[in-house]
């Protein structure tokens, strides 16, 4: 009995090969000592060569293994190795040959005397010696396995043995584990199912009837299949050649479009007009190719058809208006002598996207077209069998304005609506109208060409309305439009009608609801996001609602109708405004929520009303007397400085011209009991002083009985305590140590231990140092000696009037501070390469100096470039106008300069003893140009380059 087959398949997504590991399906060995005995699928090792048993008897053995190779049928074998592991060897020191034979199959009677017949020697490998021993024995099985796959063989039996001359030597005997494996990489070649052009779709002409193509790029396509499911995307190789000239064959690999499709663009303009081109393709899966597909044939046609001719009886192109609005006309497209025209593309105003096929090549086409405007431009191009398009023919014509005018008054769904129809065309006798594609209804026109018709729209939504004019039986004009029909009720009110009439809190008013559909028996209404209520409708479908507003502001009424059959209409939103009889009060200092401001901190209160006929506003602050405020345009601004912390009230009412009063508005706000901090030296949220300059801060109490203050500066971790004076105030002196924003946090404590809220007082200490900004810095090397560098300086000290500066410790120079500007620009000429220092300080009118700022920067070795004719970054000179460019060394010792303009050649020019040279350059084109210049010293060292940019005038 033969053993089972174990197959392991591993597919890699990066390659087409499948890795197959095959185990034996059965095995046997033979023994010369027992020449007639069969050892088929025995337990134990597989012996080869000579060996001795425990009694000293000498044996010679050969081992045989059978594999099921049916999986290799129709496959391409890229690699195949037979591998078996040794258990033991008589001699590992010497390299010894071991043979692998292909034989006839194993039988149940296989023995030394009845061994399988040898068919071919597959190979010989060396065991031992420099190889690991015991180790693995490996033979290349690929040619044999490929031959068996091509012959559709099912099994492979191999013999492993020692060559005949050494087979009897005990030193050459070996024991093998009976578990050989065939490790292989195999692939199934893909197949081609179809080839053809992408357009026309999958077209594949024959040699007798080739597919016409234009002299432009076409896409060849291949549809294929692959038996290996783990293969990557399928591709294709394409080939084409003029028929009769296979020597001109060219091939190109395409691009993959999934597991079955490949494409490649192919330029047909490379072939002369009239050439018949054969093309073919074969599939490629990344490892192997299919056979070439039977070829397709195309014929190159590079001649465009003539522009078509357009004619129309109804709408001739004579510059006069004809026909009428909405009246169709017929237009004839003629091939104009091009016999291979197969159709026409048409559209309006140069757009030609609509296609009409010709009934036969070169035949005319008749198009019925209804103009949509009074001036029309019909654009048409013809196309031949090779998809060559003619130039576009534009046919301009004019249309008489004959369409009726229609005004629609929509009554709702199922309710009467009105059509008002009129025309300015003489002789119109009747109109016809059609609703949503229904039957046309004719109505007579009056003597003045008008009529009114009552119609009913059966449902809501966009309804198509078509109206036509007739003179007798002749159709002369049309109107087509959309009517938007809704079933929302109509809401009316004389009392709540924004913007003409606002409601007033407490004043009753009414709303009238009118139906937007037939059969309405009730209405549901409610304020936005409020509860819906119901009111029954009268017999005519209307309802009147009485309503008194209780809240001021903007209101939205939501109203919908209920029909007898339960149909609920869309909701209509009716918006209106309700005026508050009380005046409004608000403050951006003292809000109605939270604690704000402080005792003595003034705040503005804005008082206004929308009520008419205002005389004055009257207000009362806490328990104080009521006072009058004159208003302007019904509003006034009141400034109060609270005299107590905690809850405060401002009561305001309006007195009208008739002497009556509005209800009182009470505005309640909370005043913080945090101390109020003041400082003239360092005002809150302002910039003042400088580090080391002391300033006084006064703490004012936010409540009575304050005995001390606790304060903390953000740069100090220790809270300070200062006692309050008899008036509850305290003053401290602070000397800020650094510039920038500083936070002073202050709270107070009363005699009974009550601690107030914290006051957070921010102030900014000015930075006395001079800030420097420049393109030059200590990280990037730019420019060179002689270059001019600009340094922008600024200071926060307003009292500074002059800046003094020096370069690299040289003499101090001064420039006045630029008035009305945050920065002052200082220009210096570079005098050394490498590291430099720009120093600057500010000076006041009194002669006091700010701290000195040292600004390090790097200077390169780039030369200076100048030109009078072509100044940098400006228009100059002109095409053909020569200009001199002067190069000045940016570091000592330059003996020559190299320059190049844009991508032009490099030119050398010698420098004089001072390191200066002049070169002449004549531009040949109007453009923005860049001259790149660098210098070279006598020892061959190149300087940094300079890019000099200039613009060339056209003349």
């Amino acid at each position: 009995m033969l053993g089972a087959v174990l197959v392991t398949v591993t597919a890699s997504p990066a390659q087409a090969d499948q890795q197959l590991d095959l185990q034996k399906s059965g095995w046997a060995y033979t023994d010369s000592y027992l020449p007639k005995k069969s050892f088929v699928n025995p337990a134990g090792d597989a012996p080869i060569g000579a060996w001795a048993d425990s009694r000293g008897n000498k044996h010679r053995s050969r081992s045989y293994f059978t594999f099921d190779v049916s999986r290799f049928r129709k496959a391409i074998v890229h690699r195949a190795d037979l591998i078996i592991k040794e258990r033991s060897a008589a001699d590992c020191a010497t390299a010894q040959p071991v043979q692998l034979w292909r034989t006839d199959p194993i039988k149940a009677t296989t023995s030394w005397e009845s061994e399988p017949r040898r068919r071919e020697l597959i190979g010989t490998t060396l065991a031992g010696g420099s190889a690991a021993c015991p180790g693995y024995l490996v033979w290349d099985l690929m040619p044999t396995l490929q031959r068996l796959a091509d012959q559709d063989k099912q099994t492979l039996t191999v013999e492993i043995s020692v060559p005949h001359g050494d087979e009897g030597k005990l030193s050459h005997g070996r024991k093998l584990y009976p578990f050989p494996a065939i490790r292989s990489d195999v692939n199934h070649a893909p197949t081609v199912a179809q080839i053809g052009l992408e357009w026309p779709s999958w077209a594949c002409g024959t040699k007798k009837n080739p597919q016409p193509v234009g002299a432009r790029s076409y896409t060849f396509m291949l549809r294929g299949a692959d038996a290996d499911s783990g293969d990557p995307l399928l591709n294709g190789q394409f080939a084409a050649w003029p028929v009769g000239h296979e020597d001109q064959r060219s091939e190109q690999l395409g691009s993959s479009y999934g597991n079955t499709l490949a494409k490649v663009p192919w330029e047909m303009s490379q072939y002369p007009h009239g050439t018949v081109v054969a093309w073919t393709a074969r599939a490629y899966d990344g490892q192997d190719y299919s056979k070439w597909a039977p070829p397709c044939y195309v014929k190159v046609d590079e001649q465009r058809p003539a522009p078509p001719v357009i004619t129309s009886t109804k709408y001739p192109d004579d510059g006069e208006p004809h026909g009428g609005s909405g009246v169709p006309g017929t237009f004839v497209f003629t091939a104009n002598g091009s016999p291979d025209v197969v159709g026409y593309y048409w559209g309006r105003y140069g757009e030609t996207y609509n296609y009409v096929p010709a009934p036969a090549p070169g035949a005319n086409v008749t198009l019925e077209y209804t103009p949509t405007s009074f001036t029309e431009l019909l654009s048409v191009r013809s196309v031949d069998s090779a998809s060559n398009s003619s130039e576009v023919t534009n046919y301009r014509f004019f249309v008489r304005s004959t369409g009726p005018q229609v005004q629609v008054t929509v009554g709702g769904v199922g309710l009467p609506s009105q059509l008002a129809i009129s025309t300015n065309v003489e002789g119109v006798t009747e109109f016809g109208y059609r609703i949503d594609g229904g039957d046309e209804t004719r109505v007579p026109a009056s003597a003045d060409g008008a009529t009114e018709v009552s119609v009913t729209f059966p449902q809501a939504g966009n309804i198509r309305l078509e109206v036509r004019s007739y003179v007798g039986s002749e159709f002369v004009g049309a109107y087509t439009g959309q009517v938007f029909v809704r079933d929302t009720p109509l809401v009316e009110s004389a009392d709540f009608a924004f913007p003409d009439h606002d409601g007033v809190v407490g004043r009753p008013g009414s709303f009238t609801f009118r139906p937007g559909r037939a059969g309405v028996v009730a209405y549901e209404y409610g304020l936005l996001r409020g509860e819906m209520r119901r009111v029954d409708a009268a017999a005519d479908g209307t309802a009147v609602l009485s309503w008194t507003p209780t809240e001021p502001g903007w209101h939205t009424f939501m109203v919908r109708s209920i029909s007898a059959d339960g149909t609920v209409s869309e909701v209509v939103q009716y918006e209106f405004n309700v005026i508050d009889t009380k005046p409004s009060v608000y403050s951006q200092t003292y809000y109605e929520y939270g604690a704000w401001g402080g005792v003595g901190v003034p705040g503005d209160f804005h008082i206004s009303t929308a009520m008419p006929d205002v005389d004055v506003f009257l207000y009362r602050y806490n328990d104080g007397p009521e006072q009058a405020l004159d208003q302007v345009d019904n509003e006034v601004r009141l400034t109060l400085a609270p005299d107590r912390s905690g809850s405060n009230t401002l009561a305001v009412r309006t007195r009208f011209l008739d002497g009556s009063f509005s209800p009182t508005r009470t505005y309640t706000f909370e005043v913080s009991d945090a101390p109020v901090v003041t400082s003239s030296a360092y005002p809150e949220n302002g910039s003042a002083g400088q580090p080391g300059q002391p300033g006084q801060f006064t703490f004012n109490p936010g409540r009575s009985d304050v005995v001390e203050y606790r304060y903390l500066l953000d740069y100090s971790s220790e809270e300070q305590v200062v006692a309050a004076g008899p008036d509850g105030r305290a003053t401290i002196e602070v000397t800020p140590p650094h510039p920038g924003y500083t936070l002073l946090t202050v709270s107070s404590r009363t005699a009974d231990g009550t601690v107030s809220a914290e006051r957070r007082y921010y102030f900014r200490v000015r930075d006395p140092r001079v800030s420097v900004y420049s393109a030059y810095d200590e990280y990037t090397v730019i420019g060179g000696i002689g270059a001019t560098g600009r340094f922008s300086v600024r200071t926060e000290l307003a009292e500074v009037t002059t800046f003094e500066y020096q370069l690299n410790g040289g003499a101090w120079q001064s420039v006045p501070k630029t008035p009305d500007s945050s920065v002052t620009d200082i220009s210096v000429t570079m005098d050394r390469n490498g590291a430099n220092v720009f120093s600057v300080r500010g000076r006041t009118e009194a002669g006091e100096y700010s701290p000195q700022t040292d600004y390090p920067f790097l200077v390169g070795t780039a030369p200076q470039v100048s030109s009078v004719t072509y100044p940098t970054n400006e228009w100059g000179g002109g095409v053909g106008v020569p200009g001199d460019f002067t190069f000045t060394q940016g570091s000592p010792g330059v003996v020559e300069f190299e320059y190049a303009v844009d991508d032009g050649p490099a030119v050398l020019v010698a420098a004089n003893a001072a390191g200066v040279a002049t070169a002449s350059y004549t531009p040949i084109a109007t453009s923005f140009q860049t001259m790149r210049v660098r210098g070279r010293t006598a020892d061959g060292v190149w300087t940094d380059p300079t890019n000099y940019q200039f613009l060339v005038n056209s003349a």
Side-chain angles (χ1 to χ4, degrees), residues 647-789:
S647 180
N648 286 250
T649 59
L650 177 63
V652 182
R653 60 177 178 160
T654 306
R655 187 175 72 198
F656 299 101
L657 293 175
D658 62 2
S660 62
F661 296 90
S662 73
T664 298
R665 167 79 66 194
T666 300
Y667 185 86
T668 302
F669 58 97
E670 189 83 10
V671 177
S672 174
D673 67 349
V676 176
V677 181
T678 59
S679 175
S680 59
Y682 292 100
E684 186 175 15
N685 297 320
S687 294
Q690 57 183 298
Q693 180 177 315
Q696 290 188 337
F697 295 80
T698 299
F699 304 155
N700 299 280
R703 57 189 309 137
S704 60
D705 300 329
V706 170
V707 297
E708 68 178 17
Y709 295 93
R710 297 176 181 270
Y711 66 93
L712 178 69
L713 288 158
D714 62 356
Y715 54 78
S716 173
S717 59
E718 184 178 351
E719 187 178 59
Q720 304 291 323
V721 178
V722 60
D727 59 354
R729 292 182 171 87
T731 298
I732 65 169
E733 185 172 274
V734 173
T735 303
H738 56 71
Y741 280 97
T742 302
L743 171 63
L744 173 63
T745 305
V746 186
S747 62
S748 65
R749 188 174 67 84
T750 61
D752 61 3
T754 301
V755 179
S756 72
E758 288 185 345
R759 175 72 62 190
R760 298 171 67 83
Y761 185 91
Y762 288 94
F763 60 96
R764 188 177 184 281
V765 181
R766 298 179 302 172
D767 189 345
R769 296 171 301 175
V770 179
S771 299
V772 181
Y773 307 91
S774 177
Y776 286 86
D777 60 39
E778 59 182 319
Y779 308 106
T780 306
V781 176
I782 62 174
I785 295 175
T788 299

Side-chain angles (χ1 to χ4, degrees), residues 891-920:
S891 61
V894 170
V895 297
E896 65 178 356
F897 294 95
E898 177 193 81
Y899 72 92
V901 179
D902 292 337
D903 296 327
V907 180
L908 291 175
V909 56
N912 60 21
V916 179
T918 299
S920 180

Side-chain angles (χ1 to χ4, degrees), residues 207-228:
K207 193 170 185 180
K208 286 186 176 181
N209 188 23
Q211 169 66 39
V213 294
R216 56 186 175 275
S217 180
Y218 281 75
T219 298
F220 293 162
M221 297 195 302
L222 173 148
R223 180 181 290 121
D226 195 339
D228 299 318

Side-chain angles (χ1 to χ4, degrees), residues 442-732:
R442 299 282 186 98
V443 293
S446 63
D448 60 354
T451 190
E452 290 194 5
V453 183
S454 179
V455 298
T456 300
F457 297 111
Q459 74 273 343
N462 278 312
I463 307 298
R464 180 180 173 86
L465 176 63
E466 300 171 74
V467 182
R468 291 186 169 193
S469 303
Y470 294 91
V471 176
S473 60
E474 183 184 1
F475 166 40
V476 296
Y479 162 88
T480 300
Q482 295 285 332
V483 180
F484 186 48
V485 179
R486 302 183 66 185
D487 63 352
T488 51
L490 176 66
V491 181
E492 300 173 337
S493 177
D495 303 309
F496 305 96
F498 180 83
D500 300 325
H501 200 286
D502 290 330
V504 178
V505 172
R507 180 187 297 171
S510 65
F511 298 88
T512 299
F513 304 152
R514 302 189 185 278
R517 66 181 308 121
V520 170
V521 296
Y523 296 90
E524 290 181 338
Y525 69 93
L527 289 172
L528 185 65
R529 291 183 291 276
E531 180 185 356
M532 298 293 281
R533 300 170 182 257
R534 180 182 172 111
V535 59
D536 292 332
D540 62 354
T542 64
V544 176
L545 172 68
S546 296
W547 185 73
T548 301
T550 58
E551 296 292 334
W554 190 254
H555 291 64
T556 301
F557 245 12
M558 314 290 288
V559 184
R560 61 192 179 197
S561 65
I562 309 296
S563 298
D565 62 0
T567 301
V568 180
S569 75
E570 289 185 72
V571 174
V572 65
Q573 295 186 359
Y574 183 84
E575 297 180 329
F576 57 95
N577 186 47
V578 175
I579 297 173
D580 194 351
T581 52
K582 299 177 184 179
S584 70
V585 180
Y586 76 88
S587 173
Q588 292 184 327
T589 305
Y590 293 99
Y591 298 95
E592 286 187 287
Y593 55 88
W596 304 90
V599 174
V601 177
D604 287 338
F605 295 82
H606 184 268
I607 303 170
S608 64
T609 184
M611 295 292 289
D613 304 324
V614 175
D615 180 17
V616 295
F617 291 107
L618 302 172
Y619 78 94
R620 185 190 307 277
Y621 172 55
N622 290 331
D623 298 326
E626 186 174 63
Q627 302 179 62
L629 289 170
D630 292 331
Q631 53 83 26
V632 177
D633 295 331
N634 284 12
E635 62 181 2
V636 69
R637 190 175 301 276
L638 170 66
T639 301
L640 293 176
D643 56 4
R644 69 186 72 170
S645 58
S647 180
N648 286 250
T649 59
L650 177 63
V652 182
R653 60 177 178 160
T654 306
R655 187 175 72 198
F656 299 101
L657 293 175
D658 62 2
S660 62
F661 296 90
S662 73
T664 298
R665 167 79 66 194
T666 300
Y667 185 86
T668 302
F669 58 97
E670 189 83 10
V671 177
S672 174
D673 67 349
V676 176
V677 181
T678 59
S679 175
S680 59
Y682 292 100
E684 186 175 15
N685 297 320
S687 294
Q690 57 183 298
Q693 180 177 315
Q696 290 188 337
F697 295 80
T698 299
F699 304 155
N700 299 280
R703 57 189 309 137
S704 60
D705 300 329
V706 170
V707 297
E708 68 178 17
Y709 295 93
R710 297 176 181 270
Y711 66 93
L712 178 69
L713 288 158
D714 62 356
Y715 54 78
S716 173
S717 59
E718 184 178 351
E719 187 178 59
Q720 304 291 323
V721 178
V722 60
D727 59 354
R729 292 182 171 87
T731 298
I732 65 169

Side-chain angles (χ1 to χ4, degrees), residues 48 94 193 226 359 384 403 410 413 461 467 630 632 672 720 786-787 834 839 893 937:
I48 62 172
T94 304
D226 195 339
D384 63 16
V410 179
V413 176
V467 182
D630 292 331
V632 177
S672 174
Q720 304 291 323
S839 302
T937 60

Side-chain angles (χ1 to χ4, degrees), residues 79-266:
R79 179 184 67 87
D81 296 323
L82 190 143
I83 304 173
I84 192 166
K85 186 178 182 182
E86 296 176 305
R87 179 185 290 276
S88 63
D91 179 10
C92 283
T94 304
Q96 299 174 351
V98 180
Q99 294 179 333
L100 181 72
W101 290 84
R102 180 173 67 85
T103 70
D104 287 349
I106 299 170
K107 299 178 182 179
T109 58
T110 293
S111 66
W112 184 265
E113 290 186 352
S114 181
E115 64 181 2
R117 181 181 177 183
R118 290 177 172 177
R119 293 295 180 179
E120 67 170 317
L121 177 63
I122 296 174
T124 300
T125 188
L126 292 177
S130 61
C133 182
Y136 288 90
L137 306 181
V138 182
W139 293 269
D140 181 6
L141 200 61
M142 186 183 75
T144 300
L145 201 55
Q146 183 66 69
R147 187 163 56 254
L148 294 177
D150 295 341
Q151 295 171 355
D152 203 15
K153 298 293 185 180
Q154 304 293 309
T155 62
L156 166 66
T157 300
V158 297
E159 170 197 304
I160 302 178
S161 60
V162 174
H164 181 75
D166 297 323
E167 193 172 32
K169 299 176 182 177
L170 290 173
S171 61
H172 283 62
R174 319 186 90 79
K175 295 290 181 70
L176 310 178
Y177 287 98
F179 308 110
I182 297 177
R183 293 186 177 175
S184 62
D185 293 338
V186 301
N187 179 52
H188 290 83
T191 57
V192 177
Q194 184 181 12
I195 65 172
L197 298 177
E198 185 173 47
W199 182 258
S201 181
W202 290 105
C204 177
T206 65
K207 193 170 185 180
K208 286 186 176 181
N209 188 23
Q211 169 66 39
V213 294
R216 56 186 175 275
S217 180
Y218 281 75
T219 298
F220 293 162
M221 297 195 302
L222 173 148
R223 180 181 290 121
D226 195 339
D228 299 318
S229 60
D231 278 356
L233 302 180
L234 186 79
N235 206 337
Q237 186 179 30
F238 298 82
W241 63 94
V243 171
H245 297 278
E246 285 226 25
D247 57 317
Q248 298 179 24
R249 176 186 177 111
S250 59
E251 297 182 357
Q252 185 175 338
L253 189 65
S255 298
S256 177
Y257 288 80
N259 292 325
T260 61
L261 186 65
K263 301 180 183 180
V264 70
W266 207 273

